[in-house]
């Protein structure tokens, strides 16, 4: 197994140094303000640590998917304002990612200053991992810190390029990155058994790699959400107009053959007449889904079955909601599973995936999990066993 021990901010002397920190400030913006500051808060321990040790902190992040025509709503100014409130000290925001304005601002920084660069995706070289952009960013820094786990699966200039073009630049993990690697590493490495995986959600094609990998290590895999429909159909059941990944049917069949009774599927479902918050809903056995129906949640007997399996688990990894939890009428399965996990004593419970994390927060239970990953795609790729580019570039720690 690959060792995930990487050097962290604890391993470097940051006093008076220009520390370039890649953070994940990709937050939702509404009416010019930060609508959810979870990700900003998640970076605070690293920022405060560096502040306390007299570093000059240069922060950078991408925000959304700006286009050359549409930039205004993707500027980092609202993020700077919120960070200032959270830190209780000034944050200087510049209007460029690289260039004279940035160099000038960095040249005048004193220890304890915090500077936030403009949205890295305003630079076309960011997503292309353009070495020239990476060099200009690297020139701002004495030390590079990556605390953006959520972006670590992408090889962009700010996540991987900076270190790739300047191999001599010390490159270390922030505390959020460290915790993500440690907690997800536990799930991937040698989880305490029984190890139970709960999989759901909609992006089935994205999750096949994880499923394949976890089939090798998990004791039981509970499948709900849109994912389950594909498996039910693969078994020859009628799933009506439910979300199904037709291309994955064969694979689902093979997984079922291989896995034997490792995979547990729903026995009942909440079926709607259409995809809408006020759709008519009825609970039916999975053998009785009407041809015009749509499965939008797992049913109560399924919740009970899943809860029984989970009750003895020592490690749980959950990715993907059990239903369309955005509609209250179809949120019960997801929230019930969240409550079961929250109630497990002495078990390590790890939640990964953007929507799964949102569901757990919406249920008010995020604090009751051992770890809620800030990375969606990144957590899945990590659990597939892939090396993330933004992690690979970090200096190795002693084992
Ligand atoms: P995550 O972000 O946690 O990895 P996904 O993005 O794969 O999860 O899936 C989340 C989405 O799956 C949610 O928007 C939810 O509404 C949808 N979903 C869950 N169950 C179903 C279902 N039975 N039919 C359609 N969509 C579903
Ligand atoms: Mg999602």
């Amino acid at each position: 197994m690959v060792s995930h021990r990487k050097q962290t901010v604890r391993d470097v002397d940051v006093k008076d140094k220009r520390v370039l920190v890649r953070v994940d400030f990709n937050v939702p913006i509404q009416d010019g303000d930060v609508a959810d500051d979870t990700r900003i808060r998640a970076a605070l321990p690293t920022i405060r640590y560096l502040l306390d040790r007299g570093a000059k902190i240069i922060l950078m992040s991408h925000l959304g998917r700006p286009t050359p025509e549409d930039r205004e709503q993707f500027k980092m100014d609202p993020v700077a304002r919120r960070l200032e409130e959270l830190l209780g000290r000034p944050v200087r925001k510049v209007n460029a990612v690289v260039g004279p304005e940035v160099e000038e601002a960095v040249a005048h920084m004193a220890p304890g200053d915090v500077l936030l660069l403009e949205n890295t995706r305003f630079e076309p070289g960011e997503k292309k991992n353009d070495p020239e952009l990476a060099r200009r960013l690297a020139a701002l820094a004495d030390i590079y810190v990556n605390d953006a786990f959520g972006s670590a699966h992408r090889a962009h200039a700010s996540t991987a390029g900076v270190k790739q073009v300047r191999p001599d630049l010390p490159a270390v993990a922030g505390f959020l990155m460290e915790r993500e690697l440690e907690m997800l590493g536990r799930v991937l490495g040698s989880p305490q058994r029984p190890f139970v995986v709960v999989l759901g959600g909609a992006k089935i094609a994205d999750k096949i790699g994880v499923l394949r990998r976890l089939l090798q290590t998990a004791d039981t895999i509970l499948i709900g959400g849109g994912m389950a429909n594909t498996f039910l159909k693969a078994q020859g059941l009628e799933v009506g107009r439910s979300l199904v990944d037709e291309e994955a049917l064969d694979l689902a069949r093979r997984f079922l053959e291989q896995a034997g009774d490792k995979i547990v599927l729903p026995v009942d479902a909440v079926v709607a007449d259409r995809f809408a918050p006020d759709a008519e809903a009825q609970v039916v056995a999975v053998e009785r889904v009407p041809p015009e129906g749509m499965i939008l949640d797992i049913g109560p007997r399924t919740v009970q079955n899943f809860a029984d399996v989970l009750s003895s688990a020592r490690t749980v990894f959950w990715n993907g909601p059990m239903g369309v939890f955005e509609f209250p009428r179809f949120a019960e399965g997801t929230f019930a599973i969240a409550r079961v996990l929250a109630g497990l004593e002495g078990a390590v419970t790890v939640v990964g995936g953007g929507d799964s994390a949102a569901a757990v927060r919406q249920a008010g239970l995020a604090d009751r999990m051992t770890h809620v990953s800030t990375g969606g795609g990144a957590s899945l790729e990590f659990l597939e066993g892939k090396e993330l580019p933004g992690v690979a570039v970090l200096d190795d720690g002693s084992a």
Side-chain angles (χ1 to χ4, degrees):
M1 236 212 62
V2 212
S3 158
H4 295 288
R5 266 287 299 149
K6 292 290 182 180
Q7 286 194 39
T8 74
V9 285
R10 281 189 218 89
D11 297 311
V12 281
D13 178 11
V14 300
K15 190 164 164 34
D16 299 336
K17 301 275 172 52
R18 297 169 303 160
V19 182
L20 178 65
V21 190
R22 178 46 158 107
V23 284
D24 180 3
F25 285 170
N26 183 25
V27 292
I29 304 284
Q30 253 164 36
D31 306 321
D33 257 316
V34 174
D36 178 348
D37 62 8
T38 310
R39 284 179 169 164
I40 303 178
R41 289 174 187 274
L44 292 177
T46 299
I47 298 171
R48 290 212 174 100
Y49 180 91
L50 295 171
L51 273 174
D52 289 347
R53 278 155 191 82
K56 303 171 183 174
I57 305 173
I58 307 160
L59 302 169
M60 60 175 170
S61 175
H62 79 282
L63 175 64
R65 296 167 191 269
T67 60
E69 302 76 46
D70 185 14
R71 282 197 163 176
E72 205 43 44
Q73 51 172 320
F74 297 102
K75 295 180 69 158
M76 298 300 283
D77 300 66
V79 175
R81 283 198 301 274
R82 179 59 62 89
L83 177 62
E84 212 161 54
E85 284 165 26
L86 291 170
L87 275 179
R89 53 193 300 157
V91 172
R92 169 142 188 227
K93 151 86 183 24
V94 281
N95 291 312
V97 183
V98 287
E101 183 194 348
V102 177
E103 284 156 26
E104 169 80 14
V106 170
H108 288 100
M109 285 177 85
D113 282 353
V114 182
L115 185 75
L116 177 62
L117 305 184
E118 189 48 278
N119 188 343
T120 52
R121 288 200 184 162
F122 284 9
E123 284 293 328
E126 161 73 333
K127 288 174 79 170
K128 290 186 223 144
N129 193 7
D130 172 31
E132 190 46 41
L133 174 61
R135 263 192 287 277
R136 296 174 80 185
L137 286 169
L140 304 173
D142 303 310
I143 294 171
Y144 172 74
V145 176
N146 194 348
D147 211 17
F149 179 75
S151 303
H153 57 314
R154 308 224 158 92
H156 291 173
S158 67
T159 59
V162 168
K163 171 72 172 180
Q164 287 165 340
V165 299
R166 276 270 307 278
D168 61 306
L169 187 70
V172 301
F175 293 122
L176 175 61
M177 175 71 87
E178 180 189 32
R179 182 163 168 77
E180 292 276 8
L181 296 178
E182 190 192 319
M183 296 312 303
L184 293 169
R186 257 198 229 181
V187 171
L188 187 69
S190 41
Q192 294 255 35
R193 297 183 180 283
F195 171 32
V196 179
V197 172
V198 187
L199 271 188
K203 292 189 193 159
I204 296 155
D206 288 3
K207 300 188 179 182
I208 287 174
V210 175
L211 181 55
R212 181 176 287 129
R213 167 83 208 213
L214 292 177
L215 267 172
Q216 296 168 24
T217 53
D219 296 295
T220 310
I221 300 193
L222 309 172
I223 299 185
M227 183 94 157
N229 304 340
T230 302
F231 281 83
L232 294 172
K233 183 160 182 179
Q235 287 187 315
L237 292 176
E238 168 76 70
V239 294
R241 296 184 296 131
S242 303
L243 173 75
V244 167
D245 185 346
E246 297 287 341
E247 294 192 347
L249 284 173
D250 276 341
L251 196 62
R253 228 168 270 131
R254 252 180 292 141
F255 280 151
L256 287 169
E257 278 161 21
Q258 279 167 26
D261 46 14
K262 240 189 202 189
I263 293 182
V264 179
L265 294 174
V267 292
D268 59 351
V270 185
V271 172
D273 57 343
R274 64 209 152 88
F275 190 86
D278 59 347
E280 289 298 328
Q282 51 168 332
V283 175
V284 299
V286 289
E287 296 82 13
R288 305 233 182 289
V289 176
E292 68 288 355
M294 286 181 121
I295 300 175
L296 296 189
D297 197 6
I298 55 174
R301 280 203 296 136
T302 303
V303 168
Q304 191 55 55
N305 288 351
F306 286 9
D308 287 345
V309 174
L310 288 165
S311 66
S312 62
R314 299 289 308 281
T315 308
V316 182
F317 174 69
W318 180 18
N319 169 274
M322 295 291 97
V324 182
F325 74 99
E326 295 91 340
F327 302 160
R329 200 167 278 186
F330 305 101
E332 184 46 32
T334 300
F335 290 168
I337 295 302
R339 287 194 296 272
V340 171
L341 261 58
L344 293 181
E345 277 174 36
V348 172
T349 49
V350 178
V351 180
D355 293 290
S356 321
V360 168
R361 275 199 296 277
Q362 213 174 299
L365 297 171
D367 295 348
R368 308 269 299 274
M369 307 295 161
T370 313
H371 181 62
V372 179
S373 177
T374 52
S379 66
L380 291 178
E381 289 195 24
F382 183 90
L383 288 176
E384 262 182 67
K386 289 188 186 160
E387 187 167 53
L388 310 182
V391 177
V393 296
L394 301 180
D395 296 334
D396 286 323
S398 43

